[in-house]
Amino acid sequence: LLIMGWGVIYVLSRRISKPIQNVAKAASQVREGNYNISLKEEESHEEEIYELVESFKEMTTRLKHMEKLRAELFAGVTHDLKSPVTSISGLIQAVRDEVVTGNESKEFLNISLKETQRLQRMIEDLLDYNAMAAGSFKMHVKSENMKSFLQEACYHWQITQEEQNFEIVVELPSEDVWAKMDSMRVQEILINLLNNAKQALDESGKIKVVLYEWNGEQVCIDIIDNGKGIPK
């Protein structure tokens, strides 16, 4: 009986300790940054051990998802920050080298100031990491004249481009078009799309920006280029 008792204790302890050891090994892998772990459910028959394994698997899945979001977030922020920095550098250099003078140089400095303000707001977004990770942004929505906004945004973007071997055409309706929006956010999207369109152009390419209303309820902006396109 004593031998059988020790045998039963040994078998039960193995059944309990083995899944716990596997969880401990998986935790070491997670600590080293490896989230691709594999835990077998059939190894844990006791309810408490099963819940431990399932909770650990769920935690690992969430950590993996958060790591992916973090990487995507910083890649996007880095991409967005390059645009105003490049614009400010090019505009100030043009003024310094006297490529532009008089009223035009003042205009370049005013545009640089606006780009600096846009850059400052991007940095504030970056500092508010928790809100960005949760996908919640502080929106500053107000009614804007889309014609004026689009003309100014496209003009600012065009003059900050080092290579001017392309044509940009802005097609606007005859009447004013108003919409409620966060102009800074829309401008960020617009600049990204214009940059993508420019990268797709061949020599002497053309970019067309079209503003129109759809069904009297939506305001639409189409950005069209005659470049090489992208795979379907």
Side-chain angles (χ1 to χ4, degrees), residues 121 139-146 149 178-184 186:
R121 186 166 169 186
M139 305 296 290
H140 302 277
V141 178
K142 63 178 181 178
S143 184
E144 298 272 0
N145 187 330
M146 295 300 295
F149 162 78
W178 293 82
K180 290 184 178 180
M181 65 169 184
D182 185 329
S183 58
M184 189 71 72
V186 177

Side-chain angles (χ1 to χ4, degrees), residues 74-193:
F74 279 102
V77 168
T78 303
H79 179 268
D80 287 342
L81 288 178
K82 284 181 180 178
S83 177
V85 170
T86 304
S87 299
I88 294 168
S89 176
L91 291 167
I92 294 177
Q93 188 173 350
V95 175
R96 185 197 64 183
D97 297 341
E98 296 184 352
V99 176
V100 292
T101 57
N103 291 332
E104 195 173 9
S105 65
K106 290 182 179 180
E107 182 184 11
F108 273 42
L109 291 176
N110 287 332
I111 296 173
S112 299
L113 181 59
K114 289 183 178 180
E115 289 293 287
T116 304
Q117 293 169 348
R118 188 162 71 92
L119 180 61
Q120 182 179 2
R121 186 166 169 186
M122 288 181 178
I123 294 173
E124 290 174 357
D125 285 343
L126 181 58
L127 293 175
D128 194 5
Y129 175 80
N130 291 332
M132 293 189 74
S136 59
F137 297 94
K138 293 180 181 178
M139 305 296 290
H140 302 277
V141 178
K142 63 178 181 178
S143 184
E144 298 272 0
N145 187 330
M146 295 300 295
K147 287 179 65 175
S148 302
F149 162 78
L150 202 57
Q151 280 179 317
E152 183 178 1
C154 291
Y155 174 70
H156 288 184
W157 174 81
Q158 184 180 14
I159 64 175
T160 58
Q161 302 304 302
E162 293 184 3
E163 299 177 359
Q164 296 288 337
N165 58 342
F166 65 94
E167 179 187 4
I168 180 168
V169 178
V170 183
E171 293 186 2
L172 304 171
S174 56
E175 298 181 356
D176 288 341
V177 177
W178 293 82
K180 290 184 178 180
M181 65 169 184
D182 185 329
S183 58
M184 189 71 72
R185 304 293 183 196
V186 177
Q187 186 177 0
E188 289 175 12
I189 298 170
L190 184 67
I191 288 173
N192 279 333
L193 293 174

Side-chain angles (χ1 to χ4, degrees), residues 18 132 214:
K18 188 175 180 181
M132 293 189 74
W214 180 261

Side-chain angles (χ1 to χ4, degrees), residues 25-40:
K25 290 179 182 178
S28 298
Q29 293 179 358
V30 171
R31 183 178 60 190
E32 294 173 0
N34 178 19
Y35 300 108
N36 295 318
I37 63 169
S38 176
L39 292 173
K40 297 180 181 180

